[in-house]
Amino acid sequence: VSTSLQSRMDLDVVNMFVIAGGTLAIPILAFVASFLLWPSALIRIYYWYWRRTLGMQVRYVHHEDYQFCYSFRGRPGHKPSILMLHGFSAHKDMWLSVVKFLPKNLHLVCVDMPGHEGTTRSSMDDLSIYGQVKRIHQFVECLKLNKKPFHLVGTSMGGHVAGVYAAYYPSDVCSLSLVCPAGLEYPTDNQFVQRLKELQASSTIEKIPLIPSTPEEMSEMLQLCSYVRFKVPQQILQGLVDVRIPHNDFYRKLFLEIVSEKSRYALHQNMDKIKAPTQIIWGKQDQVLDVSGADTLAKSIANCQVELLENCGHSVVMERPRKTAKLIVDFLAALHNTDNNKKLD
């Protein structure tokens, strides 16, 4: 009797594990299938999950018939709000890795730049740097973000726009962080710029290194933009490309606009008009935009400090998010405390 009871109990335990295993297997199989078959969906879920975890909420705001999409956390308070402008072909969620290390009591706003992600894409839109500056100003007015001067952060193309914005709308901006910004003139071209000029001369704009259309090109772009060499699985590379391919025609149009004569050196032409205290953050091993640009800006902007990061490429925000967040917070704290000291004097 005891033997049959024991074998029945063993069978119950086996059944329990089969049922539990089956219940677990369904989400695991779904995850594996989505990873293999729909990696782009997985990437979207990943950003959605990160936004939720970090308390970032997505909202839309309209200027006439133009829609801006943005994410935010916190409310305007006694500390300046922070507006963050992403780089070429990225979107508001690229800042999540930095947001993770920013204090919860800061009011953060990350906007999709014109034509990117949830912000309107129109063939009529002026995509030049000046056109983008005007659009960002409309966004700022819609949110009444400039009720009190805010801290403006921008990286790469977003840094180009942020710098020109600070020159054009000085009363909006209390301080500025430019993370390896585009828009500067260099005495000599680096390898990347030389390659671009060759492509422009031969009219093969399909091959712009920042607009990948295969997993291999995606891998090359990641290597170009970051110093840290990390192995990205083929499926994830495929997913990253799948997400981008529908937008590649727009990216080409935008790229040609921002490297045109009108836009290419807009930050260089306006940097001496920047009055706000400015922080420059740059990766020493940046292969896209040469780090010597930091010195160029420091010589032209009256109140400017430079932070150069060792073993870091162009994707500072992705490679060194904790350090980027700390530098921004320390910079703001120093300015804030200085302001308080002035009041006490």
Side-chain angles (χ1 to χ4, degrees), residues 161-174:
V161 173
V164 177
Y165 188 103
Y168 270 53
Y169 302 104
S171 61
D172 282 9
V173 178
C174 65

Side-chain angles (χ1 to χ4, degrees), residues 102-123:
L102 289 172
K104 291 274 200 309
N105 63 348
L106 290 174
H107 178 227
L108 309 176
V109 179
C110 306
V111 65
D112 283 327
M113 298 294 279
H116 291 73
E117 198 84 357
T119 291
T120 296
R121 177 177 301 175
S122 158
S123 56

Side-chain angles (χ1 to χ4, degrees), residues 115-164:
H116 291 73
E117 198 84 357
T119 291
T120 296
R121 177 177 301 175
S122 158
S123 56
M124 309 300 290
D125 214 7
D126 176 3
L127 294 171
S128 71
I129 293 299
Y130 297 101
Q132 292 192 60
V133 165
K134 196 176 164 192
R135 280 289 183 212
I136 295 301
H137 188 244
Q138 289 168 353
F139 171 72
V140 163
E141 300 260 277
C142 284
L143 283 195
K144 298 186 171 57
L145 203 59
N146 53 355
K147 217 169 165 182
K148 211 176 94 177
F150 57 88
H151 179 70
L152 184 56
V153 183
T155 184
S156 201
M157 179 191 80
H160 195 171
V161 173
V164 177

Side-chain angles (χ1 to χ4, degrees), residues 15-268:
N15 283 340
M16 190 175 77
F17 275 111
V18 167
I19 292 162
T23 313
L24 278 174
I26 292 162
I28 289 167
L29 284 172
F31 178 83
V32 170
S34 66
F35 179 69
L36 296 173
L37 303 173
W38 308 291
S40 58
L42 201 63
I43 289 162
R44 287 196 175 91
I45 291 165
Y46 168 81
Y47 283 126
W48 171 83
Y49 171 78
W50 260 106
R51 279 198 305 268
R52 271 188 71 98
T53 306
L54 296 172
M56 295 292 282
Q57 298 178 58
V58 176
R59 292 284 183 276
Y60 297 88
V61 70
H62 294 85
H63 173 83
E64 294 167 359
D65 59 349
Y66 195 89
Q67 173 181 278
F68 293 98
C69 177
Y70 67 101
S71 59
F72 77 98
R73 184 172 80 185
R75 292 195 179 146
H78 65 283
K79 289 182 178 177
S81 297
I82 300 179
L83 173 60
M84 310 177 99
L85 309 182
H86 65 74
F88 170 79
S89 79
H91 46 76
K92 60 189 174 299
D93 293 332
M94 76 163 285
W95 292 107
L96 293 174
S97 52
V98 173
V99 167
K100 181 184 174 186
F101 298 108
L102 289 172
K104 291 274 200 309
N105 63 348
L106 290 174
H107 178 227
L108 309 176
V109 179
C110 306
V111 65
D112 283 327
M113 298 294 279
H116 291 73
E117 198 84 357
T119 291
T120 296
R121 177 177 301 175
S122 158
S123 56
M124 309 300 290
D125 214 7
D126 176 3
L127 294 171
S128 71
I129 293 299
Y130 297 101
Q132 292 192 60
V133 165
K134 196 176 164 192
R135 280 289 183 212
I136 295 301
H137 188 244
Q138 289 168 353
F139 171 72
V140 163
E141 300 260 277
C142 284
L143 283 195
K144 298 186 171 57
L145 203 59
N146 53 355
K147 217 169 165 182
K148 211 176 94 177
F150 57 88
H151 179 70
L152 184 56
V153 183
T155 184
S156 201
M157 179 191 80
H160 195 171
V161 173
V164 177
Y165 188 103
Y168 270 53
Y169 302 104
S171 61
D172 282 9
V173 178
C174 65
S175 45
L176 183 65
S177 291
L178 301 179
V179 185
C180 41
L184 297 173
E185 214 168 333
Y186 292 90
T188 54
D189 294 336
N190 66 5
Q191 264 183 307
F192 173 70
V193 175
Q194 282 172 13
R195 191 171 159 200
L196 282 184
K197 286 186 173 174
E198 285 163 18
L199 290 173
Q200 272 182 308
S202 61
S203 301
T204 50
I205 60 151
E206 268 65 46
K207 290 287 166 207
I208 296 167
L210 297 177
I211 307 175
S213 50
T214 66
E216 291 69 35
E217 288 173 4
M218 189 73 215
S219 180
E220 281 169 26
M221 186 187 88
L222 292 174
Q223 287 187 14
L224 172 72
C225 291
S226 63
Y227 173 78
V228 181
R229 293 282 172 264
F230 38 83
K231 188 90 180 83
V232 182
Q234 185 76 6
Q235 269 85 12
I236 292 293
L237 289 172
Q238 186 65 60
L240 291 168
V241 170
D242 289 349
V243 169
R244 294 171 68 101
I245 283 175
H247 311 290
N248 276 357
D249 286 344
F250 165 74
Y251 293 152
R252 278 190 200 97
K253 184 184 168 191
L254 170 63
F255 190 83
L256 292 175
E257 190 61 64
I258 59 178
V259 299
S260 70
E261 214 171 312
K262 179 184 178 185
S263 288
R264 178 172 281 186
Y265 303 128
L267 178 55
H268 206 106

